Amino acid sequence: AKRLGLPNSILMINDIEEEKSRINVNANMQAWETEMKGLGYQNLMHYAGASWIDVNGLGYAGPIQTSNFGISNFWIAQYPYINGMPTDQARRMAMHISAAAWQFTSRANLLRDRPFFDMNIDYTGRFTQ
């Protein structure tokens, strides 16, 4: 990011999806934050599926302790419908509204004859500011 000349205010995201990292996930997340802050980046966020976090509405707690990082610093993926849903329906559902953002589908068909797209709701404006 520094070599590309990106400002220290840019949003940096820790993408947590590797199953092998579940064992030490909180320590790894803290190490990532410490390293990023040491490099001067303060606008940090973690991306994870709902099953990874402890407050997910799924009836069980995932291994990530969101209170260690602040739930508003999470971008959470959870797809209530396999084939996606319209954005207005997702807005009404408002899942994970305490988080920074919610990825509600990976199957949005936005362009004819193109692969599907992820769709998100940015609750805090951190992606659009």
Side-chain angles (χ1 to χ4, degrees), residues 54-111:
D54 57 353
V55 289
N56 57 27
L58 297 174
Y60 62 89
I64 295 174
Q65 298 169 346
T66 55
S67 62
N68 291 349
F69 308 96
I71 190 67
S72 64
N73 293 312
F74 280 85
W75 172 16
I76 301 169
Q78 184 176 0
Y79 311 144
Y81 300 102
I82 291 173
N83 292 320
M85 70 174 125
T87 304
D88 60 334
Q89 181 181 358
R91 286 187 202 286
R92 285 191 304 274
M93 287 181 79
M95 291 180 76
H96 305 291
I97 198 161
S98 297
W102 169 38
Q103 185 176 97
F104 61 90
T105 187
S106 63
R107 306 217 14 109
N109 192 354
L110 301 177
L111 300 173

Side-chain angles (χ1 to χ4, degrees), residues 10-67:
I10 195 162
L11 179 60
M12 300 295 273
I13 300 171
N14 180 18
D15 186 349
I16 306 159
E17 298 185 59
E18 174 54 49
E19 196 63 34
K20 293 176 186 174
S21 70
R22 284 179 89 89
I23 295 170
N24 298 316
V25 69
N26 290 286
N28 292 339
M29 291 170 64
Q30 189 59 59
W32 178 81
E33 282 195 1
T34 300
E35 182 69 18
M36 296 307 290
K37 288 176 180 177
L39 293 170
Y41 298 101
Q42 300 297 318
N43 191 6
L44 307 176
M45 189 179 297
H46 303 278
Y47 171 86
S51 65
W52 283 74
I53 65 171
D54 57 353
V55 289
N56 57 27
L58 297 174
Y60 62 89
I64 295 174
Q65 298 169 346
T66 55
S67 62

